[in-house]
Each structure stands twice: as C-alpha cells, then as structure tokens.
Amino acid sequence: MTPQPKRTANRLKHYDYSRAGWYFVTVCVKNHLCLLAQVTDYDEACVGDDACIVPQAQHQAAVSLTPLGRIVEAELLCIPGIREYVVMPNHLHCIVCIDGEDGPM
C-alpha cells in the first residue's frame, strides 16, 4: 500500500466544535474499502475517468446498501441532530445540527 499524502488540517484551530451549529461530517471506511454500498445499474458511459458518476449522463446509476451499510444507516437515524445523510460505498456524509439547548455536547 502506498502512503497517503500529507493532508492539512481542515478544522479551525481555536473553534469549539461542541458549540451550537450545523456541521458537515464525513466518515471513511478504513483503507477505503467499499463495504457500505455497491454502485449498480450503470454502464461505462455514465462513469467518468476518475470513477465518479457523470451527472450529465442520461443513464442514472443506483447505489444499493450492503447489509453493513443498512446497519450504518439504521445507526445514523438513532443519532440526535442528524438532519441529512448519504451512505456511499466507502464513506458517508452527514449534516449534524447541535442546537445548544442542553449546553455543549
């Protein structure tokens, strides 16, 4: 396995992330293994050079969750503050709202 490139921190240095607000969160599967879902019902015309789905393609691809992906989705729905989410083959994105009514988390 080739080493991953050095990444810069994408957090604000002095920001208190327990404060009320809306947060965009990405969680990746270890080693970027595609364990959560499979891309199905696509053809070569709808996949770009970097393996991303090309939005202009007339043929729509579908993402179907694996059993592990369904568990992840069920657990996401139990987390207070999750407003929106999407489970992808090797990662998930979600928007979390911390409302601050009960103080810092």
Side-chain angles (χ1 to χ4, degrees):
M1 179 189 275
T2 60
Q4 294 292 322
K6 293 281 186 186
R7 300 189 189 274
T8 57
N10 57 0
R11 290 179 165 225
L12 297 174
K13 288 186 181 193
H14 302 291
Y15 186 79
D16 178 6
Y17 283 91
S18 66
R19 289 177 37 184
W22 292 70
Y23 297 92
F24 181 80
V25 178
T26 300
V27 180
C28 297
V29 174
K30 183 177 180 180
N31 298 325
H32 302 281
L33 297 175
C34 294
L35 301 175
L36 304 178
Q38 296 176 338
V39 178
T40 58
D41 193 28
Y42 69 93
D43 59 28
E44 294 297 321
C46 73
V47 179
D49 292 335
D50 60 355
C52 293
I53 303 300
V54 178
Q56 295 86 0
Q58 292 181 354
H59 184 80
Q60 291 285 15
V63 176
S64 60
L65 297 180
T66 63
L68 183 58
R70 286 192 292 278
I71 292 170
V72 167
E73 181 179 52
E75 293 301 317
L76 275 171
L77 294 172
C78 295
I79 299 173
I82 297 288
R83 295 295 189 255
E84 298 289 335
Y85 68 90
V86 61
V87 179
M88 304 299 286
N90 63 0
H91 66 284
L92 64 92
H93 300 290
C94 61
I95 297 176
V96 182
C97 176
I98 300 175
D99 61 17
E101 290 177 6
D102 299 323
M105 291 182 83

